mmCIF file of all heavy atoms in Angstrom:
data_model
loop_
_atom_site.group_PDB
_atom_site.id
_atom_site.type_symbol
_atom_site.label_atom_id
_atom_site.label_comp_id
_atom_site.label_asym_id
_atom_site.label_seq_id
_atom_site.Cartn_x
_atom_site.Cartn_y
_atom_site.Cartn_z
ATOM 1 N N GLN F 10 85.565 -7.390 127.758
ATOM 2 C CA GLN F 10 87.008 -7.512 127.574
ATOM 3 C C GLN F 10 87.588 -6.151 127.197
ATOM 4 O O GLN F 10 86.958 -5.311 126.657
ATOM 5 C CB GLN F 10 87.321 -8.530 126.426
ATOM 6 C CG GLN F 10 86.895 -9.960 126.744
ATOM 7 C CD GLN F 10 87.184 -10.911 125.634
ATOM 8 O OE1 GLN F 10 87.249 -10.553 124.476
ATOM 9 N NE2 GLN F 10 87.373 -12.126 126.001
ATOM 10 N N LEU F 13 94.506 -2.918 124.838
ATOM 11 C CA LEU F 13 95.321 -1.703 124.691
ATOM 12 C C LEU F 13 95.536 -1.403 123.145
ATOM 13 O O LEU F 13 95.837 -2.361 122.420
ATOM 14 C CB LEU F 13 96.689 -1.856 125.359
ATOM 15 C CG LEU F 13 96.621 -1.983 126.862
ATOM 16 C CD1 LEU F 13 98.055 -2.283 127.452
ATOM 17 C CD2 LEU F 13 96.088 -0.699 127.537
ATOM 18 N N ASP F 24 93.410 1.086 107.375
ATOM 19 C CA ASP F 24 92.973 0.314 106.252
ATOM 20 C C ASP F 24 91.766 -0.532 106.538
ATOM 21 O O ASP F 24 90.798 -0.679 105.728
ATOM 22 C CB ASP F 24 94.142 -0.613 105.771
ATOM 23 C CG ASP F 24 95.281 0.179 105.180
ATOM 24 O OD1 ASP F 24 95.072 1.358 104.827
ATOM 25 O OD2 ASP F 24 96.412 -0.357 105.055
ATOM 26 N N GLY F 60 115.658 8.335 137.771
ATOM 27 C CA GLY F 60 115.585 9.698 137.188
ATOM 28 C C GLY F 60 116.931 10.103 136.640
ATOM 29 O O GLY F 60 117.947 9.940 137.238
ATOM 30 N N GLY F 63 116.039 14.965 134.647
ATOM 31 C CA GLY F 63 114.628 15.354 134.848
ATOM 32 C C GLY F 63 113.588 14.457 134.270
ATOM 33 O O GLY F 63 112.423 14.818 134.223
ATOM 34 N N GLU F 71 120.973 -5.381 135.023
ATOM 35 C CA GLU F 71 122.421 -5.491 134.826
ATOM 36 C C GLU F 71 123.079 -4.117 134.617
ATOM 37 O O GLU F 71 124.090 -3.790 135.207
ATOM 38 C CB GLU F 71 122.789 -6.397 133.649
ATOM 39 C CG GLU F 71 124.248 -6.597 133.392
ATOM 40 C CD GLU F 71 124.546 -7.455 132.169
ATOM 41 O OE1 GLU F 71 123.551 -7.878 131.506
ATOM 42 O OE2 GLU F 71 125.704 -7.723 131.947
ATOM 43 N N ALA F 81 129.737 4.144 142.834
ATOM 44 C CA ALA F 81 130.469 3.927 144.089
ATOM 45 C C ALA F 81 131.944 4.146 143.962
ATOM 46 O O ALA F 81 132.594 4.721 144.783
ATOM 47 C CB ALA F 81 130.150 2.537 144.596
ATOM 48 N N ASP F 102 148.379 25.896 154.946
ATOM 49 C CA ASP F 102 148.185 26.729 156.119
ATOM 50 C C ASP F 102 149.377 26.706 157.070
ATOM 51 O O ASP F 102 149.825 27.720 157.620
ATOM 52 C CB ASP F 102 146.980 26.216 156.931
ATOM 53 C CG ASP F 102 145.654 26.483 156.278
ATOM 54 O OD1 ASP F 102 145.657 27.354 155.312
ATOM 55 O OD2 ASP F 102 144.628 25.819 156.538
ATOM 56 N N SER F 106 151.793 29.960 157.734
ATOM 57 C CA SER F 106 151.883 30.556 159.094
ATOM 58 C C SER F 106 153.267 31.092 159.335
ATOM 59 O O SER F 106 154.225 30.517 158.826
ATOM 60 C CB SER F 106 151.530 29.491 160.121
ATOM 61 O OG SER F 106 150.211 29.001 159.930
ATOM 62 N N PRO F 107 153.392 32.138 160.121
ATOM 63 C CA PRO F 107 154.739 32.624 160.424
ATOM 64 C C PRO F 107 155.706 31.509 160.987
ATOM 65 O O PRO F 107 155.244 30.752 161.775
ATOM 66 C CB PRO F 107 154.502 33.707 161.439
ATOM 67 C CG PRO F 107 153.035 34.140 161.231
ATOM 68 C CD PRO F 107 152.339 32.882 160.812
ATOM 69 N N GLN F 113 157.435 27.459 167.945
ATOM 70 C CA GLN F 113 156.995 27.373 169.325
ATOM 71 C C GLN F 113 156.495 26.006 169.734
ATOM 72 O O GLN F 113 156.881 25.493 170.804
ATOM 73 C CB GLN F 113 155.951 28.432 169.642
ATOM 74 C CG GLN F 113 155.556 28.493 171.119
ATOM 75 C CD GLN F 113 154.564 29.561 171.400
ATOM 76 O OE1 GLN F 113 153.755 29.959 170.554
ATOM 77 N NE2 GLN F 113 154.573 30.072 172.615
ATOM 78 N N MET F 117 158.006 23.767 172.909
ATOM 79 C CA MET F 117 157.243 23.347 174.028
ATOM 80 C C MET F 117 157.266 21.843 174.157
ATOM 81 O O MET F 117 157.354 21.273 175.267
ATOM 82 C CB MET F 117 155.758 23.843 173.906
ATOM 83 C CG MET F 117 155.625 25.306 173.817
ATOM 84 S SD MET F 117 156.260 26.166 175.295
ATOM 85 C CE MET F 117 155.003 25.701 176.441
ATOM 86 N N LEU F 221 177.469 26.275 177.911
ATOM 87 C CA LEU F 221 177.930 25.243 176.957
ATOM 88 C C LEU F 221 176.905 24.156 176.825
ATOM 89 O O LEU F 221 176.383 23.676 177.818
ATOM 90 C CB LEU F 221 179.305 24.713 177.394
ATOM 91 C CG LEU F 221 180.429 25.692 177.434
ATOM 92 C CD1 LEU F 221 181.671 24.972 177.955
ATOM 93 C CD2 LEU F 221 180.696 26.285 176.090
#
Side-chain angles (χ1 to χ4, degrees):
Q10 294 180 335
L13 294 175
D24 291 344
E71 180 182 4
D102 290 341
S106 298
Q113 186 178 29
M117 301 301 288
L221 298 177

